[in-house]
Structures are given as C-alpha cells and as structure tokens.
Amino acid sequence: MFLNKKYFIFSIFIIAVLLRIYGLGRSSFWFDEAIAIDWSNNLDAMFKKYNYPPPLYFMLLAFWRVFGDSEFILRLLSVIFGIGSVVGIYFLGKVFFDAKTAIISSFILALAPFHIYYSQELTMYSLFSFSILLAVLCFKKALKYERWSFWIGFSIFSVLSILTHYIAILILFAEIVFFLLFWREYKNLFNKWIKSHLLILLLISPWLPLIIGHTVFGINSSLGFWIFWLPPLSWQTIIITLKNFSIGYNATPSVFWVASTVYFILFILGIYSTKKKSDLFLLLFLIFIPMFLALVFYKFKVGVYVDRYFLPGALFYYLIIAKGLSNFKKNIILSIVTLSIAISNSFTLKNYYLDYLPNLIYHHIGVQKKLDFRSAAYYIAENFQEGDIIIHTNENSIFPLEYYLTSRRFYNLKNFSFFSKEG
C-alpha cells in the first residue's frame, strides 16, 4: 500500500509538471504579462508611486529575467509556484483530513484547468495562491499543534501574500472571523494568535504607506476607470466563479454544466462528511468571505471582483471536493468518478491549449482570446519604413508590442533602431 501511495503521488507530480510546461511558450505575451515585465524594469517607481500593484512578484521576476526573456523561460516562474501548490495541497489535505483525501486533492489540482491557466501566465496569481496555501497550512498546524514555529510561519507567509496581492487582506479577514467565531474552541491560543497578528503588522509596517496608497488609489481608480470593463455583477456571479474553479474558462457549455454538476455534488458531499465543523467552516470562510466582500465593494463602485483574484479559494474548494470523493469506499465508484473528472478536464484543456474560448463573456471576465502580438511585431519590424507611424486602436496592444519591438530577439532584424526607446 505504501508503494502504491508513493507511485500515485509521484505520478500526480509528473502529470502536474507536464500539463504546466506543455505549450508554455506557444502564445505571445498579452497585456498583463507585458506590463508585468515593464514593472519588473521599474521597481523604483513601484516604491514611490501608488498606481502600481504589490511588488513581491515583480521583484522575483526582475531576478528571474537573468535566465532569459523568452515566453517559456519567463512563464516558468509561475509554473514553479503552480507545481508547489500541487505539492502543498497534499500536506494541507493531510492536516485537515487524511492521506487519501490529500492524494485526491493533489490529483484534482494537478488537472484543474483554472489553476493550470494561471500556472502558465506571467502574472502574480500562481505565487499568490501558493503563499496563501502555505499561510493556511501554518495556521491550521498552529491551531492543531500549538507551536510557535507555525504561528511565525503563518505571519511570514501572510505578509508575503499581502505583498503579492491585496486580496490577501480579505483572506486574512476570513481567518480572523473564523477564530473569533470559534473562540471557545481556541481561546487558549488567543495569546499566540494575537501576537502572530502583531508580528504581521510589524513585518508589514515598512510597506504600510505603500499599501495604504495603493488601496486608496485602487478605490479612486475603480470609481473612475477600472469599473468600466466589469459587466454587471450579482450574487449569481459566485456560482459562475465556482464553475470556473471546477472546469476553467475554456469548456464548452455542455462540458461545463456536466462537470460543474459533478463538482457541486462532491462539494456538498464533502461538506456533509466533514466531521470537525471548525475545519469545515475555516475552509468555507476562506472560499466565500473574500468573494462576498468583493461583491459588497462592487455595490459601492469598487471593482475588485475578478475570478482570478480568488485563485487561492479554488484550492480550498478542491480540498472539500476531495473529501467528498474520498467517501466512496468502493474503489470502482471512486475510479469512475475520478475518471469522469479527468475526461471533462481533458476536453477543457484541449480547448485551452488550442486557445478556444467560448463566447460567454460573463463566464470569463477579464480573460480574452490570446492574440499573436509576437508575429505582429516581427511583421512590423521587417516592414517598417522611416516616417511610418504605429497607431494603437486599443491600449491592450501597447505594452505587448513595445516589449517585442524592444526585445533582444529583434536585434538582428533590419530597422530595429526605429523601435528602441532611444530611437
């Protein structure tokens, strides 16, 4: 049995790696990825101005760029954190439930199209979910084993998550609500709990002016600009988010309805079968409180509800689903349900790798079909004549084309000087 378990874990790891590196450099950088590269070139500005996101991912990216500037190499940074999450959710599953649930949760995450999507994108979301996973793992172990090392780990990873994405503050708030709600069960840990949060404040204090400035700027921008590209949202939006957690953006309607139904049934079964209610409420709070708060903010014209912001919540969603799956005692039933999940995910992943995106805007807010800026840049570089003018009809093309037209890979093309920043 031990050999079988080792075999399954190793197989899951290999699957996770292969699915996340397959076609990693197939598409050119889109707006968010190109602007991430630009920000990694302007770290000084990130600490002086408030119209920038948290700096941690871009600091890591600035270092990572010494290995190369190709799509494959740069996106590999996100792949590493994505694979780390597949490993990390195994340990999270063991501390919340048992080894069987841990293995199943790793399998679900390894094949999850939603997670693979952001494990292959040059944005901060893979690092964000990984740091949140480690923070929750330390928090759960701190509650269970009451060791100072776990409380310190919780504080450190919470700070790292905040410095990656400010939605981490909402996740931290969910943890606070949980602790206060289950005060009677954990009141003997109050001293360590409060000190761990004071440590968070201490560690984050050098960044507080930046965080406050970014937050105020974000709210002001939402009131005037960011909110315009968000379609009308409602409480039903959360259902769509859970659908994306289940099957990603690229599933056809028939596949996403079937797969989402299977996931929802397993989710309910996982809720029903979780014996320790405090563990269940912790996971549910981590999934839903950030979403509910983001919808509340939206009602006040603050646009912070985009599915990718809640990628960490998807991991806890998969954990409850894995618990539901682990309740099947007969291996044949477990195998059939697991196979159905793998098949539905394979259809979605095929569409993802082929860049097929169903025309359902409400199901993929902020996600667009990938455009070939790389080929466009090559064409422009080879055909540009002195005196020609490039006009952008959409701002989303500015940063990708600027990146490619000033990239080292264009040094050997004629007329390159016309595209240098000095030219």
Side-chain angles (χ1 to χ4, degrees):
M1 184 67 182
F2 178 70
L3 290 176
N4 287 340
K5 186 173 75 170
K6 288 178 61 177
Y7 169 78
F8 282 127
I9 294 173
F10 180 73
S11 299
I12 289 169
F13 177 79
I14 295 300
I15 291 171
V17 172
L18 292 177
L19 290 178
R20 282 158 179 77
I21 64 173
Y22 177 76
L24 190 59
R26 72 189 185 282
S27 60
S28 57
F29 292 128
W30 73 293
F31 178 84
D32 281 14
E33 294 178 302
I35 203 171
I37 298 171
D38 184 74
W39 284 337
S40 72
N41 285 327
N42 297 280
L43 293 178
D44 289 344
M46 298 191 76
F47 299 104
K48 297 176 182 178
K49 299 179 181 180
Y50 296 140
N51 56 335
Y52 288 93
L56 180 59
Y57 181 79
F58 308 102
M59 294 169 65
L60 295 175
L61 180 58
F63 164 77
W64 189 256
R65 292 181 66 188
V66 302
F67 298 108
D69 67 346
S70 70
E71 292 85 357
F72 184 93
I73 293 297
L74 292 184
R75 288 173 177 151
L76 199 59
L77 178 62
S78 294
V79 170
I80 292 172
F81 295 120
I83 295 171
S85 294
V86 174
V87 176
I89 201 172
Y90 170 79
F91 294 100
L92 194 66
K94 285 185 69 175
V95 75
F96 268 93
F97 300 113
D98 50 54
K100 182 179 179 182
T101 303
I103 293 174
I104 295 173
S105 63
S106 292
F107 176 77
I108 293 174
L109 183 59
L111 271 64
F114 188 69
H115 190 260
I116 291 172
Y117 190 102
Y118 291 107
S119 294
Q120 289 200 322
E121 189 174 84
L122 188 65
T123 52
M124 77 286 288
Y125 302 107
S126 181
L127 170 61
F128 177 44
S129 61
F130 180 60
S131 59
I132 288 292
L133 187 153
L134 294 180
V136 173
L137 178 61
C138 288
F139 179 68
K140 175 57 182 171
K141 285 195 170 186
L143 295 178
K144 189 173 183 178
Y145 301 113
E146 305 182 15
R147 296 177 188 169
W148 267 114
S149 58
F150 294 130
W151 287 109
I152 294 173
F154 163 69
S155 299
I156 292 173
F157 289 119
S158 294
V159 170
L160 293 179
S161 65
I162 293 171
L163 293 178
T164 303
H165 201 292
Y166 293 140
I167 289 293
I169 297 173
L170 302 186
I171 297 175
L172 186 63
F173 176 76
E175 169 268 314
I176 293 173
V177 171
F178 162 79
F179 190 89
L180 296 178
L181 184 63
F182 287 88
W183 165 258
R184 291 184 178 181
E185 185 173 344
Y186 297 114
K187 62 182 179 181
N188 62 308
L189 297 174
F190 178 75
N191 184 51
K192 293 180 179 178
W193 179 79
I194 198 68
K195 287 182 178 178
S196 69
H197 286 77
L198 291 175
L199 179 58
I200 291 174
L201 285 176
L202 177 64
L203 294 174
I204 210 73
S205 58
W207 311 87
L208 277 179
L210 198 67
I211 294 173
I212 295 172
H214 285 177
T215 304
V216 172
F217 178 86
I219 292 174
N220 290 336
S221 297
S222 294
L223 292 173
F225 176 72
W226 286 355
I227 199 73
F228 86 94
W229 58 270
L230 286 175
L233 304 179
S234 67
W235 300 111
Q236 296 175 342
T237 304
I238 292 178
I239 303 299
I240 296 176
T241 300
L242 295 179
K243 184 278 295 181
N244 289 332
F245 285 179
S246 302
I247 200 65
Y249 302 120
N250 303 87
T252 57
S254 58
V255 172
F256 83 63
W257 278 117
V258 172
S260 298
T261 301
V262 172
Y263 270 91
F264 181 74
I265 292 172
L266 293 173
F267 183 67
I268 298 300
L269 183 59
I271 291 175
Y272 179 77
S273 60
T274 300
K275 295 180 180 179
K276 190 173 182 181
K277 297 308 175 185
S278 59
D279 286 352
L280 174 61
F281 273 90
L282 175 57
L283 292 173
L284 291 176
F285 284 2
L286 292 170
I287 296 169
F288 291 110
I289 285 183
M291 294 183 196
F292 283 125
L293 289 176
L295 281 179
V296 171
F297 294 154
Y298 175 80
K299 297 297 183 181
F300 292 94
K301 306 300 181 183
V302 180
V304 294
Y305 195 109
V306 184
D307 287 341
R308 57 180 175 260
Y309 293 176
F310 310 111
L311 180 60
L315 276 58
F316 309 124
Y317 180 69
Y318 302 146
L319 199 57
I320 296 177
I321 288 170
K323 177 58 179 173
L325 254 175
S326 69
N327 282 289
F328 294 114
K329 304 302 181 184
K330 294 184 178 181
N331 289 335
I332 183 63
I333 299 178
L334 177 60
S335 299
I336 291 173
V337 177
T338 303
L339 182 62
S340 68
I341 291 175
I343 292 173
S344 62
N345 283 1
S346 67
F347 282 120
T348 303
L349 288 173
K350 177 185 176 182
N351 289 341
Y352 165 62
Y353 293 131
L354 293 175
D355 196 26
Y356 169 74
L357 190 65
N359 189 25
L360 299 167
I361 183 60
Y362 288 97
H363 290 255
H364 47 80
I365 297 173
V367 176
Q368 304 170 350
K369 187 176 176 63
K370 299 182 186 299
L371 302 177
D372 192 0
F373 292 109
R374 182 173 50 208
S375 296
Y378 271 105
Y379 179 85
I380 292 172
E382 291 183 321
N383 293 277
F384 188 87
Q385 301 295 322
E386 186 172 2
D388 287 349
I389 299 175
I390 300 174
I391 298 176
H392 297 267
T393 59
N394 189 307
E395 66 176 8
N396 288 341
S397 64
I398 296 175
F399 281 96
L401 283 178
E402 180 185 21
Y403 168 75
Y404 284 112
L405 294 174
T406 58
S407 173
R408 287 177 294 178
R409 68 183 77 181
F410 284 86
Y411 282 176
N412 63 339
L413 295 178
K414 65 179 181 178
N415 297 323
F416 173 78
S417 60
F418 291 111
F419 302 101
S420 67
K421 291 184 178 180
E422 295 79 21

